[in-house]
Amino acid sequence: MDSRPSDPNAGAGAPLDGEFDLIYRYFARGGANGPGAGVILGIGDDAAVLRVPEGADLVAAVDTIVESRHFPERSDPRSIGYRALAVNLSDLAAMGAKPAWATLALTMPRADAEWLGGFSRGLLDLADRHGVALVGGDTTRGPLTISVQLLGFIPRGEALRRGGAKQEDLLAVTGTLGDAGAGLALVQGRTTATTERAAELVRRFEYPTPRVEFGLAARGIASAAMDISDGLTGDLPKLAAASGLAAHVDVGRLPLSPALRASATVEQARDWALAAGDDYELLVAVPRQRFQELAAAAARTSTQLTVIGELRAGSGVTWSSSGRIFTPSAAGFDHFR
Amino acid sequence: MDSRPSDPNAGAGAPLDGEFDLIYRYFARGGANGPGAGVILGIGDDAAVLRVPEGADLVAAVDTIVESRHFPERSDPRSIGYRALAVNLSDLAAMGAKPAWATLALTMPRADAEWLGGFSRGLLDLADRHGVALVGGDTTRGPLTISVQLLGFIPRGEALRRGGAKQEDLLAVTGTLGDAGAGLALVQGRTTATTERAAELVRRFEYPTPRVEFGLAARGIASAAMDISDGLTGDLPKLAAASGLAAHVDVGRLPLSPALRASATVEQARDWALAAGDDYELLVAVPRQRFQELAAAAARTSTQLTVIGELRAGSGVTWSSSGRIFTPSAAGFDHFR
């Protein structure tokens, strides 16, 4: 099973023999070398056989990224592989779940050894970092589309849901917002920045940090959580609606990175932070009296945590800036708008 | 959660509001109305939360179908939805697993209400028939590509693997082979048949029967199993190699349906049966002394079962016809050949 080349570029230019070889050559690894707890049967049969630990529930997420839609054409394949898994890790982080196993549905126009080497390295390096085993997959020919389904565990009854927030809970976000939006704008030539800042922002788009450790640490403290994939203006209304509450955000409190502040006007930075999406930070609600506990959990996991607003009675989301009503100019990213 | 319209065409022409609504409108159903055993949290959060029964292992499969590659353009959306799930049910059948939960990654060029109505009906009707709950999904815009990941259960240690066959075991297949290949040729106008026969063969391509009940019944009797998705010439070598054996097939014993026999020359029918793929029948190995038990399991589940050959010492696959060596003319379907 351990047919992943130690140097993924070693096979560049070599003919690829077909689907069976493809999966084996780039993605199958022996259980001894990597993650694989609970993998009874991995890649190579009609399906994988997996063992969920006693007392745990299974958590399952699926996310797809499509060329030209979620990443520009000719993106670095290592970033594509990384992001395909990262966006799913972010979903599990938002549940407070521990990731364990992934399957990969990879549709691509042709089997290019060099591309596959980079893609598999990006995906598998991140998988290793989070103890995730790739247990199955399917490769098909077609326009570049990657779906990863990620499975993980959570102690029974402890999942962080979107709908658990209570009135007067604080709203907080991890990390900084808007960097990925700026990074994408840079990649697409829609904006410019100094080389050093640009590299930092582009990296935030290409290699978002899924907040897995923070999600685990927030379990039992936060009252609700979700990941911000479609921008705060797109995602916050979902958390508020699921909790049956209104939400209010002070946009002046949105955490902006030094790189973003140095690269854009305040208005542009705020727009990206509100609506650009792709940050994959976590949005959490927490009872006021437990905020210090959550802040300690964030510190323990080296995660920046910023209060941006609160939950209120009612419905919908309101925004303010310097004490005045504020209306975001851009809607959150929506694949069918 | 129960927002699936009772008449899926009711919303035809209505504007679709975005990803969130899309998933809800067509795919979310309350647990009370359909399958959903073990679904703690279904569609609508960052991930689903699921409970695997005590003593069971989890079985996970993923398969993707792409327009123009796995089905012709402008195919009936109901058939596309059906097949997207059926090909995965077939993988679980090949493991002897009981299907339980599915996630859907649906990439499509536009959100068309009528198309989505047909697609969701095809997928959900088949899901209902097998007690499968759709627990999560992701809709993205792009060329039509559908990945389903299917989860199911199996009692610990009882999975039917490809590698379990022993020397002198019999090789058998369920159903008939070649019908789907003929059906696709008819759809594509590459061949003709009488209207009645044509409809039957096209139906076999558009609505393959996953052998789930037979797979469950074969557990503990068959020594190895896999599903025939890429044609016998493509798939049998994998079972033989996984078992460390050679396989021999008498092509004269390949089960051909009356519709296929009536619609094609013997040579053409045999070629489709050998190499066309898309039949989603099961290929099983069984110890000779247990064949009658397996035949009884097949009868109990209303499944045709035909012995086509045997496993032998050595490696590779050999074929014979009327006692003479036979060389198949077409290689099995391989997405990257």
Side-chain angles (χ1 to χ4, degrees):
Chain A
M1 291 275 289
D2 192 1
S3 57
R4 183 188 176 206
S6 51
D7 172 9
N9 289 317
L16 292 167
D17 301 317
E19 179 183 2
F20 194 64
D21 268 12
L22 263 185
I23 297 174
Y24 264 74
R25 191 181 300 186
Y26 291 98
F27 299 108
R29 295 183 296 178
N33 294 340
V39 180
I40 311 296
L41 186 60
I43 291 176
D45 215 300
D46 290 282
V49 180
L50 308 163
R51 188 156 297 169
V52 175
E54 298 289 335
D57 276 341
L58 185 72
V59 179
V62 62
D63 254 322
T64 302
I65 59 174
V66 180
E67 187 176 59
S68 301
R69 185 83 193 151
H70 300 95
F71 56 90
E73 284 182 50
R74 288 179 294 281
S75 290
D76 180 349
R78 196 164 73 86
S79 157
I80 300 170
Y82 178 101
R83 289 185 82 235
L85 180 60
V87 299
N88 282 284
L89 285 167
S90 181
D91 279 327
L92 258 65
M95 303 300 288
K98 176 154 185 46
W101 309 305
T103 61
L104 168 68
L106 173 58
T107 302
M108 53 187 166
R110 69 203 147 270
D112 177 274
E114 195 170 347
W115 190 94
L116 276 161
F119 177 86
S120 61
R121 194 169 42 191
L123 192 152
L124 293 175
D125 284 354
L126 183 62
D128 284 348
R129 213 175 304 160
H130 290 280
V132 170
L134 187 69
V135 298
D138 186 24
T139 55
T140 49
R141 194 195 286 274
L144 189 59
T145 305
I146 305 113
S147 285
V148 169
Q149 206 226 31
L150 185 62
L151 301 170
F153 317 129
I154 196 151
R156 291 188 176 173
E158 294 191 18
L160 288 172
R161 302 180 178 207
R162 292 180 180 180
K166 298 280 178 294
Q167 201 174 321
E168 296 190 20
D169 279 359
L170 295 174
L171 268 178
V173 293
T174 60
T176 56
L177 300 179
D179 298 332
L184 179 58
L186 285 160
V187 169
Q188 295 179 328
R190 288 186 282 112
T191 191
T192 56
T194 64
T195 312
E196 191 189 330
R197 296 303 195 188
E200 195 174 332
L201 295 167
V202 169
R203 196 164 52 240
R204 287 271 292 161
F205 172 75
E206 292 187 332
Y207 298 94
T209 303
R211 302 296 183 182
V212 176
E213 292 77 15
F214 174 76
L216 291 169
R219 217 166 58 197
I221 307 171
S223 56
M226 73 181 296
D227 82 323
I228 309 173
S229 52
D230 296 345
L232 197 61
T233 52
D235 287 327
L236 176 54
K238 298 175 193 169
L239 185 144
S243 296
L245 292 169
H248 180 81
V249 170
D250 179 350
V251 298
R253 300 176 83 168
L254 296 178
L256 307 178
S257 71
L260 183 60
R261 286 178 191 276
S263 309
T265 63
V266 172
E267 290 73 21
Q268 176 62 80
R270 206 167 50 193
D271 279 357
W272 277 325
L274 281 168
D278 288 326
D279 285 317
Y280 297 99
E281 297 293 350
L282 295 188
L283 173 66
V284 293
V286 58
R288 280 164 198 272
Q289 69 277 13
R290 302 202 68 180
F291 179 74
Q292 284 313 318
E293 271 179 88
L294 192 65
R300 215 164 50 238
T301 55
S302 307
T303 308
Q304 183 176 336
L305 185 71
T306 308
V307 173
I308 60 166
E310 64 183 11
L311 279 305
R312 297 176 175 176
S315 67
V317 178
T318 55
W319 312 82
S320 66
S321 177
S322 307
R324 297 184 185 192
I325 292 173
F326 175 86
T327 304
S329 56
F333 182 80
D334 188 317
H335 304 288
F336 283 97
R337 250 187 200 128
Chain B
M1 291 273 290
D2 192 0
S3 56
R4 183 188 177 205
S6 51
D7 171 8
N9 290 316
L16 293 167
D17 302 316
E19 178 183 4
F20 193 63
D21 269 11
L22 261 187
I23 297 174
Y24 265 73
R25 190 181 301 185
Y26 291 97
F27 300 107
R29 295 184 295 180
N33 293 340
V39 180
I40 311 297
L41 186 61
I43 292 176
D45 214 298
D46 290 282
V49 180
L50 308 163
R51 188 157 299 170
V52 175
E54 297 289 335
D57 277 340
L58 185 72
V59 179
V62 62
D63 255 322
T64 302
I65 59 174
V66 180
E67 187 176 58
S68 301
R69 183 85 194 150
H70 300 95
F71 56 89
E73 285 183 50
R74 288 178 295 281
S75 290
D76 180 351
R78 196 164 71 87
S79 157
I80 300 172
Y82 178 101
R83 289 185 82 235
L85 180 60
V87 299
N88 283 282
L89 286 167
S90 181
D91 279 327
L92 258 65
M95 304 300 289
K98 178 158 182 43
W101 309 306
T103 61
L104 168 67
L106 172 58
T107 302
M108 54 188 166
R110 69 203 146 270
D112 176 273
E114 196 172 344
W115 189 93
L116 275 160
F119 177 86
S120 61
R121 194 170 41 190
L123 191 152
L124 293 174
D125 284 355
L126 183 63
D128 284 349
R129 213 174 303 160
H130 291 280
V132 170
L134 188 70
V135 298
D138 186 25
T139 55
T140 50
R141 193 194 287 272
L144 188 58
T145 305
I146 306 112
S147 286
V148 168
Q149 207 227 32
L150 185 61
L151 301 170
F153 316 129
I154 196 150
R156 292 190 177 171
E158 293 190 19
L160 287 172
R161 302 180 176 206
R162 293 181 180 178
K166 298 280 180 289
Q167 200 174 323
E168 296 188 20
D169 279 0
L170 293 174
L171 267 178
V173 294
T174 60
T176 55
L177 300 179
D179 298 333
L184 179 58
L186 284 160
V187 170
Q188 295 179 329
R190 288 187 281 114
T191 191
T192 56
T194 65
T195 312
E196 193 189 327
R197 298 301 196 188
E200 196 175 330
L201 294 168
V202 168
R203 196 164 54 241
R204 287 271 292 161
F205 172 76
E206 292 186 333
Y207 298 95
T209 304
R211 303 296 182 182
V212 175
E213 293 77 14
F214 173 77
L216 291 168
R219 220 166 54 196
I221 307 172
S223 55
M226 73 181 295
D227 80 326
I228 309 175
S229 52
D230 296 347
L232 198 60
T233 52
D235 287 329
L236 176 54
K238 298 175 193 168
L239 185 143
S243 296
L245 291 169
H248 180 81
V249 170
D250 178 351
V251 297
R253 302 176 82 168
L254 296 179
L256 307 178
S257 72
L260 183 60
R261 286 178 191 276
S263 307
T265 63
V266 173
E267 290 73 22
Q268 176 63 81
R270 205 167 52 192
D271 279 357
W272 276 326
L274 281 167
D278 288 326
D279 286 314
Y280 297 99
E281 297 293 351
L282 295 189
L283 172 66
V284 293
V286 59
R288 280 165 197 270
Q289 69 277 14
R290 303 202 66 181
F291 180 74
Q292 284 312 320
E293 271 179 88
L294 192 66
R300 215 163 53 237
T301 56
S302 306
T303 308
Q304 184 177 336
L305 186 70
T306 308
V307 173
I308 60 166
E310 62 181 12
L311 278 305
R312 298 178 174 176
S315 66
V317 178
T318 54
W319 313 81
S320 64
S321 176
S322 308
R324 296 183 188 195
I325 293 172
F326 175 87
T327 305
S329 58
F333 182 80
D334 187 317
H335 304 289
F336 283 99
R337 243 176 210 143

